[in-house]
Amino acid sequence: QVQLVESGGGLVQAGGSLRLSCAASGGTFSTYDMGWFRQAPGKEREAVAAVSRSGGFTYYAESVKGRFTISRDNAKNTVYLQMNSLKPEDTAVYYCAAKRAFTGFMLVPGDYDYWGQGTQVTVSS
């Protein structure tokens, strides 16, 4: 089993930045695609970004493209989400997730097998 623990969330003003981290354990990190997803109250969970197992391919939701950057450090079993130019509509619980490489689609939440507990990101106007 894979365990994922997010950190780095918090309260930030619009236009500010945060970096989320997700530490993985219990599996072979380099065999998993990793993704960040978010869920705001009353809304469905949506994809934010994903990165392939070696970090060579990245995928972004249109709403965050150009503002957020996903990356991974396989030596540290960690995936990151750098969030810049934050907007109030980015407010949500952000979840880290893992799926086996070459299974499913990168930005489909239901295709991911393992999930972290989430970290709250609140952006004030």
Side-chain angles (χ1 to χ4, degrees):
Q1 297 298 112
V2 175
Q3 294 82 48
L4 304 172
V5 180
E6 303 97 332
S7 62
L11 175 64
V12 65
Q13 291 186 328
S17 298
L18 284 173
R19 188 174 80 153
L20 306 183
S21 298
C22 173
S25 62
T28 304
F29 186 66
S30 61
T31 68
Y32 290 91
D33 297 325
M34 301 296 297
W36 287 98
F37 300 82
R38 67 188 183 187
Q39 189 165 23
K43 295 186 177 180
E44 293 186 75
R45 188 181 301 170
E46 65 176 1
V48 176
V51 60
S52 61
R53 58 179 177 165
S54 64
F57 299 90
T58 57
Y59 309 79
Y60 296 95
E62 284 295 322
S63 60
V64 308
K65 200 170 293 182
R67 300 188 297 122
F68 292 8
T69 303
I70 189 169
S71 61
R72 66 192 295 160
D73 186 340
N74 284 358
K76 296 181 178 180
N77 287 0
T78 302
V79 62
Y80 305 95
L81 185 68
Q82 179 65 48
M83 309 165 67
N84 298 328
S85 301
L86 283 161
K87 304 174 180 179
E89 51 262 47
D90 295 319
T91 296
V93 176
Y94 282 70
Y95 297 92
C96 175
K99 74 173 186 70
R100 291 172 295 144
F102 303 105
T103 67
F105 291 88
M106 295 295 279
L107 297 178
V108 176
D111 287 348
Y112 283 72
D113 303 302
Y114 304 100
W115 293 82
Q117 82 289 349
T119 185
Q120 177 71 47
V121 172
T122 302
V123 184
S124 63
S125 60

